[in-house]
Each structure stands twice: as C-alpha cells, then as structure tokens.
C-alpha cells in the first residue's frame, strides 16, 4: 500500500547485482533480505554487467549459432531431415502495430504492452468511435481485468512507495511510461512497426461460392494490402485473425505483388481466448502457438515473436510449428470444444427422456473426474453461440468438402445439427408447458450475451431462441442482460428477420424486475452469476479437480520488477492488509473522464453496479403471473429451492 513516510528505499536495481538482473523466482524470495545473494539468481548469459556484455550479432557471418535437428515435411515435398539453424539472439522488437481494435486485437495488444514496457504498441482502426472508446474509461469490450491492464499501459503509472508486511524496508516502484497507443493513424503506425499483427474480422460468407460455410477473408486481404504498401523492409507480419488454412500464402502473394524486391516473413499466431476470461487467458495461456515457414528466415521471425511473449509466458508454453499446422490447429481446437458441448447436450436429451432421476450434471461430474477427459466444456445447456465455434466448424467442414472428404465434413457438421436441435427442443418445451400457445403471455428472457463475463452478442444463442418465441406471437418478450447495452441487443434482433408485428413485441429492459413483472415464464439463456439469486440458487461444492501449478514467474527484467511480480505483490498487500479494489498499491493514474455517451456497451462502473445485484427470486415470484415457469437453459438455479417459492422449474437434462 502506498506510504507517505520516507523510509529507506528498497530499489531492485541497487539491490540485485547487475550480473544477475534476469531471473525467475517467487516474489517472496526475491524480496527477502537475502535476495541480493548472487548465488540465488540464474544469470542470463547476456545480462547487463555479465562477462559477455553484448548479445551476438544477427548479421550474416555471426558465429553464435545453435543447431537443432528434427524431421520436417516442407509443403508437399518428401519428408526430409533438416537442420534448424537459429541465431541465439534474433531481431530486437521495439515497435508493434495491431491492425484492428476488436475483440482480439485490443485485449491482446494491451496485455503485450503491459508486459513489455520497453516496446511501443500501436493499435489502429478506421472506426473512430471504437478508438475513442479505447481511449476512455468506457472500453468497447467488457472483460474482467481489462480496464486495469489498459490503464497501466496506455496511461502509465505513478511513482509509488509500498510498505510490505513483514519486511523492514519499503519498496519503491518507479513510474511507468505509457507505451500503448490507440489511434486511427493506420499508415503511420504500420511504417514504424517491427511486428505487425493483422486482427480483422473474418465472418462466414453470406453470398456466392461457399455462402454459409466459407470464411470471408476480404478484410484480411484489404488489411494486408495496406500493410504491404506501408511496412518497412523486413517487418514481421502476423496473422492473428481466425482464417482458413492457406491464408498465410494469400498474404505472402499480396506482399510479393506490392513489394517484389523486399522479403517479408508471414507468421500464424492464432488466439485461443475464451470471451469473458480473455485477460486471464492472455496472462496465463495454456500455450502460445506460432507458425512459420520452415526456413531460416521464417524461424528467425518466429523466434523474434517468441521473445515478445517470453516476457511473461514460460518458454515451454510457446510452441513453434509450420504455418499450415498453426492455421489448422485453431479451427480444430474450437471444433473439438464445441464437440464436447454437443456431446453433453445429446446426453441431456437422453436424460430427459429416460427419466428415473437421470441428471446430466451427474453424468458430467462423473466424466470430468476421468483424467483422460477432464471437466471443462462438459456443461449441458441450451446450446453454444458466439462468433467463433459455428464459424470455425463451417470453415473446417468446407475445407474437408473441398478435399473430397465428405464423410469428414458431415462428421463436423453433426456438431452443429445437435446444437440446432438443442435450441429447438428448448423452445418446444417452453411452448408445450404453456399449453401450446404464447398468445397473451409475457415471456421474460434473462441473458442475451452469448456467455457471461462479456458484452459480445454476435450469434448469441438468445437471438435464435427469441426469433422462435416471437413466431409464437406472445404479448411481450422482455429481455434483460447486465452486460449488454440496449442498442447492441436491438441491433442483433433486427438482423434476424422478424416482421414488424413480431418486432413490436420485443422490449429491452434495464433491470431484471421490469423483465419478470407480469411474466408467465422466465427463460434463462446466459449463465450470469446474479441469475442464481441473492440467497437461493445452485450451491456448488468446492471443486476437487486439481489445477496445474503455475510456473515460477519472471521477477526482474533489466533490474525492474515485472508486471507479473507486481500483480503478486498487489495480491500479497491486499491479502495482508485486507484491502479491496483493483489498485491496492496506488499505482494507477486517475481514470479518464467519462465521455458522457454510451459507446459499444455500458460504462465499466455502471456495468459493475448492475451486475452486482442478484435476482431476488422471492420478489420475482410476487411480480410474476401464474404459472410462474422458469426454463433454466443454463442450469444455474436450484430447482428445489425455486419450487419452494411457487415456481415451476425445467432445467436441461433433468
């Protein structure tokens, strides 16, 4: 916690010998009185002050090389043994540009800048409103912890004195210089960048060849042309967007057309983020995947990007493969996650028909304890939505079809058939339990975002359910979601082709009370935690699943505490002093003034205030009309407790 006193300073750069300023240790040991002992640190061979004071040159003729031998298949050539000759130090990266400030580009850029204070990270986009939002306290994307990361890198931090419980000395945290910039100056940012990430949208085509299945990479092509015309010679180009296999070659062809005399390496670096936990996924990734051409130049470029991530990601979690394998891995990963969900949804249908107390949650629990299977993505529900799973399955199936693998394509498409079937079963159940007609009845819909913890409404499962409910011509469909702005919800609903009469029945509510008032039934479509209720709701036992231990963090770089170490320090101080809030050390500068308008979503403070209010199901019972149905599409409430309040409850797979 910040201190106004002036005790002796504890500075990392004066306490840690210069020859051992790079190391990986627990923060507790690093800050202990004996931490300055040289023997307790693993010196990096090119640490400042070490005997080898300058890194080996990456220029031609440099003798400092390391050789790894492995078997590779290069494109369609026969499998041969090749030697990967990699320089021990690659091109230094001082400037990075992200083209596209959306759900991938913005958070990824923020976390990279957060952990690399010596690298300038520019995020550019032609959408002025989106950039304005990134430069305010009302970010265009709601992700837990994102605002703090953005403020730290975008605004810089203050000089801070920290009293550490149990230690006689105080720690001085120097001010941090801003290194994250959001702007519309696309060409200027590209011109100075050493590494350029392409992070633009690749929706499914809605017209022409491949409509409904093939990914539309026209925005990738457009961004690539802009980059090719402005990038400096030798810049590393990274495709971050989810793209069809072979897109790296398309980008390479564009560069050859515009810059025939210059060499550029195209890397694949797909994101594996789960919306709602994107910051956590970026901070502690399972893996970072980098695909490159299996040439010396390609592998050097991959090493340069690897060094950027190595600022906080353990080396063993950064995987380098060939470009095509990297592109394919992204599509297959999302497809297999969706496959697990559809598998459990298929089981839920069986449980409902078998009866005799069959419960899909019990089956999920039993399967999750099997170490070969694991517990993740085994939760049955009304189906999966979002911008990724369906699009990537369609993309993968289209690729299989183009390769004349029709059986394989049909196998992947079966995942989507189960997903659609699950939605249909849910709507049929609602209509059936309400005596086969919704006319004259109000239906409350709790949840519109495709999952909790995010304001992303793209291809939400709710929009499909609402379309089917609207076709039954109910009196009203009253929608409430604590993470989505009303204009975002209505924009998605207007895309689904409702008639004027149907659209007039849709009402967006600002709170759950207005949504459930006079409603005959509640449909829970997003697993927001406050839908569980103030005191009621599903009570979950502590998980017995063991999580893998996190590797030791890198504590010091160039004599300064890393942001990962500072996060650990924040947790230590907050725990010892029983503090709350996102800034227990007092490092952050004052938040940017509110702009006075709604941009892409609710202000962070407003969203936080709303999301903290749980549904009071006791009060909801008094507001609703008979028969008071709760159709729990996410199995978030406790049916027995709600039944005790007079509700009729129908979950998934019960």
């Amino acid at each position: 916690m910040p201190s106004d006193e002036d005790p002796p300073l504890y500075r990392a750069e004066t306490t840690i010998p210069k020859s051992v300023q790079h190391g990986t240790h627990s923060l507790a040991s690093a800050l202990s009185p004996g931490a300055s002992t040289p023997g307790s640190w693993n010196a990096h061979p090119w640490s400042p002050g070490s005997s080898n004071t300058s890194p080996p040159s990456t220029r031609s003729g440099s003798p400092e090389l390391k050789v790894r031998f492995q078997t590779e298949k290069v494109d369609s050539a026969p499998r041969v043994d090749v030697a990967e000759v990699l320089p021990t130090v690659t091109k230094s990266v001082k400037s990075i540009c992200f083209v596209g400030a959306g759900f991938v580009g913005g958070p990824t850029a923020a976390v990279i800048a957060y952990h690399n204070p010596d690298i300038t990270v520019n995020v550019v986009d032609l959408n002025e409103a989106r950039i304005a939002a990134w430069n305010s306290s009302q970010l265009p994307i709601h992700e837990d912890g994102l605002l703090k990361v953005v403020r730290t890198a975008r605004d810089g931090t203050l000089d801070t004195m920290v009293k550490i419980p149990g230690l006689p000395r105080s720690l001085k945290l120097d001010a941090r210089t801003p290194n994250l910039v959001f702007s519309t100056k696309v060409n200027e940012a590209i011109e100075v960048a050493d590494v350029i990430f392409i992070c633009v949208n690749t929706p499914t085509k809605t017209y022409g060849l491949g409509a409904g299945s093939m990914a539309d990479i026209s925005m990738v092509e457009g961004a690539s042309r802009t980059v090719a015309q402005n990038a400096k010679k030798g810049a590393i180009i990274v495709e971050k967007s989810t793209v069809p296999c072979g897109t790296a070659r398309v980008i390479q062809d564009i560069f050859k057309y515009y810059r025939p005399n210059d060499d550029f390496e195209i890397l694949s670096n797909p994101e594996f983020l789960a919306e709602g936990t994107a910051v956590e996924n970026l901070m502690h990734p399972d893996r970072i995947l980098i695909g490159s051409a299996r040439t010396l130049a390609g592998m050097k470029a991959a090493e340069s990007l690897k060094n950027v991530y190595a600022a906080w990601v353990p080396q063993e979690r950064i995987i380098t493969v060939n470009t095509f394998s990297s592109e394919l891995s992204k599509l297959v990963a999302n497809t297999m996650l969706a496959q697990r969900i559809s598998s459990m949804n298929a089981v839920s249908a069986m449980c409902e028909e078998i009866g005799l107390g069959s419960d899909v949650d019990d089956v999920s629990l039993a399967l999750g304890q099997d170490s070969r299977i694991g517990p993740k993505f085994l939760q049955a529900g009304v189906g999966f939505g979002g911008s990724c799973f369906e699009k990537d399955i369609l993309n993968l199936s289209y690729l299989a079809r183009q390769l004349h693998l029709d059986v394989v394509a049909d196998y992947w498409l079966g995942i989507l058939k189960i997903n659609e079937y699950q939605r249909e079963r849910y709507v049929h159940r609602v209509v059936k339990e309400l005596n086969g007609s919704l006319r004259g009845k109000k239906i409350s819909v709790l949840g519109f975002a495709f999952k909790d913890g995010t304001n992303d409404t793209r291809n939400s499962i709710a929009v499909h359910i609402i379309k089917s409910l609207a076709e039954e011509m109910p009196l009203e469909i009253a929608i409430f979601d604590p993470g989505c702005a009303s204009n975002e919800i209505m924009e998605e609903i207007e895309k689904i082709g409702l008639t004027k009469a149907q659209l007039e029945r849709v009402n967006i509510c600002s709170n759950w009370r207005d949504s459930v008032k006079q409603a005959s039934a509640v449909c829970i479509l997003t697993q927001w935690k406050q839908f569980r209720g103030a005191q009621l709701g599903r009570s979950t036992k502590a998980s017995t699943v063991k999580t893998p231990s996190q590797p030791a963090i890198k504590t010091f770089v160039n004599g300064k505490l890393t942001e990962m170490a500072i996060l650990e320090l924040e947790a230590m101080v907050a725990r010892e002093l029983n503090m709350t809030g996102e800034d227990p050390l007092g490092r952050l500068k004052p938040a940017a003034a509110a702009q006075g308008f709604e941009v892409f979503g609710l202000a962070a403070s407003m969203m936080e205030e709303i999301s903290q209010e749980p549904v009071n199901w006791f009060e909801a019972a008094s507001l609703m009309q008979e028969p008071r149905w709760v159709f729990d599409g996410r199995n978030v409430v406790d049916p027995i407790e709600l039944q005790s309040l007079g509700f009729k409850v129908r979950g998934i797979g019960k």
Side-chain angles (χ1 to χ4, degrees), residues 185 261 308-309 334 426 595 623:
K185 298 179 180 179
N261 299 320
V308 172
Y309 284 111
N334 276 349
Y426 181 86
Q595 300 298 312
L623 293 173

Side-chain angles (χ1 to χ4, degrees), residues 20-46:
V20 291
Q21 286 181 351
H22 293 257
T24 302
H25 305 275
S26 68
L27 183 62
S29 63
L31 298 180
S32 64
S36 60
T37 305
S40 65
W41 297 88
N42 295 323
H44 189 287
W46 302 301

Side-chain angles (χ1 to χ4, degrees), residues 324-625:
F324 194 92
S325 295
S326 177
E327 293 173 334
L328 184 60
S329 295
K330 167 62 178 178
L331 299 179
V332 174
N334 276 349
T335 300
M336 294 192 72
L337 293 176
Q339 182 186 48
R340 289 169 68 95
I341 296 173
S342 281
S343 294
M344 293 310 301
N345 283 341
V347 173
S348 75
M350 297 180 68
C351 288
E352 292 175 19
E353 296 303 320
I354 291 172
L356 304 175
S358 300
D359 190 330
V360 70
D361 285 346
D362 292 342
V363 179
S364 175
L365 178 63
L367 293 175
Q369 296 298 314
D370 189 326
S371 60
R372 299 168 301 174
I373 299 174
K376 295 184 178 180
F377 287 84
L378 292 182
Q379 288 70 46
V382 72
F384 58 79
S387 63
C388 295
F389 282 4
E390 182 173 326
K391 181 186 71 172
D392 292 349
I393 293 170
L394 291 170
N395 197 341
L396 191 62
S397 300
Y398 183 80
L399 175 61
R401 197 81 70 190
Q402 292 299 106
L403 297 172
H404 307 292
L405 302 172
D406 291 343
V407 174
V408 175
D410 292 339
Y411 174 73
W412 297 128
L413 289 175
I415 298 170
L416 295 180
K417 289 181 180 179
I418 289 292
N419 198 51
E420 182 178 355
Y421 175 63
Q422 190 77 343
R423 296 197 307 256
E424 293 173 351
R425 288 197 321 111
Y426 181 86
V427 174
H428 291 166
R429 178 74 70 178
V430 172
V431 176
K432 179 182 177 181
E433 297 293 0
L434 291 174
N435 302 318
S437 175
L438 301 186
R439 280 194 173 273
K441 299 167 186 173
K442 176 181 176 180
I443 306 298
S444 167
V445 172
L446 296 185
F448 191 86
F450 89 94
K451 64 179 294 187
D452 58 322
T454 179
N455 63 339
D456 193 352
T457 60
R458 294 176 295 175
N459 195 36
S460 165
I461 204 74
V463 78
H464 298 285
I465 300 294
I466 290 168
K467 184 177 188 298
S468 297
L469 292 175
E471 291 172 352
E472 296 290 330
M473 301 299 287
L475 177 67
E476 180 185 353
I477 300 176
I479 306 167
F480 167 67
D481 189 292
C484 300
S486 58
N487 63 309
E488 293 177 323
I489 296 175
M490 188 54 68
E491 284 175 5
E492 288 297 316
I493 291 176
E494 289 174 348
K495 296 177 184 177
I496 60 179
L498 298 181
T499 65
K500 182 180 179 181
Q502 292 171 342
L503 195 58
E504 289 174 347
R505 300 167 191 270
V506 177
N507 180 34
I508 314 301
C509 302
S510 60
N511 60 79
W512 64 264
R513 291 180 179 85
D514 289 344
S515 178
V516 305
K517 187 176 182 180
Q518 298 300 309
S520 299
V522 172
C523 297
I524 301 177
L525 302 182
T526 309
Q527 59 268 40
W528 289 99
K529 61 183 179 181
Q530 67 269 33
F531 294 164
R532 298 177 182 177
Q535 295 178 336
L536 301 177
R538 174 173 296 278
S539 57
T540 56
K541 298 179 181 180
S543 174
T544 58
V545 179
K546 295 182 179 179
T547 56
S549 59
Q550 293 292 339
I553 62 172
K554 184 179 290 186
T555 310
F556 289 93
V557 171
N558 295 330
K560 296 182 180 180
L561 277 176
T562 64
E563 289 294 339
M564 292 297 280
I566 292 174
L567 285 175
E568 190 174 319
L569 178 61
E570 286 182 340
M572 180 193 305
V573 171
R575 182 173 59 252
E576 293 294 330
L577 301 182
N578 195 27
M579 298 178 64
T580 59
E582 67 174 2
D583 187 27
L585 303 183
R587 297 177 71 214
L588 296 180
K589 293 181 179 180
Q595 300 298 312
F597 57 90
E598 187 178 60
V599 183
F600 293 99
L602 300 176
S605 59
M606 186 184 301
M607 176 176 286
E608 182 68 19
E609 180 180 347
I610 294 175
S611 66
Q612 291 304 311
E613 183 189 14
V615 174
N616 185 324
W617 287 106
F618 182 83
E619 182 181 351
S622 66
L623 293 173
M624 291 178 63
Q625 289 187 347

Side-chain angles (χ1 to χ4, degrees), residues 229-271:
Q229 294 174 60
N230 293 280
K232 64 184 180 182
K233 183 178 180 180
I236 299 170
I237 314 302
V238 184
E239 56 170 26
K240 194 71 174 174
S241 303
T242 301
V243 293
C245 297
T247 302
R249 292 182 181 177
V250 174
I251 298 173
Q252 186 75 69
D253 289 342
I254 292 173
F255 272 78
K256 287 180 179 178
Y257 176 82
Y258 286 98
R259 305 285 288 275
N261 299 320
D262 296 330
D263 293 327
F264 293 91
E265 289 301 319
I266 314 298
L267 304 181
S268 169
N269 178 218
E271 54 82 16

Side-chain angles (χ1 to χ4, degrees), residues 215-228:
D216 183 352
I217 63 168
S218 58
M219 281 183 270
V220 173
E221 292 176 303
S224 298
R225 293 187 190 99
T226 300
V227 173

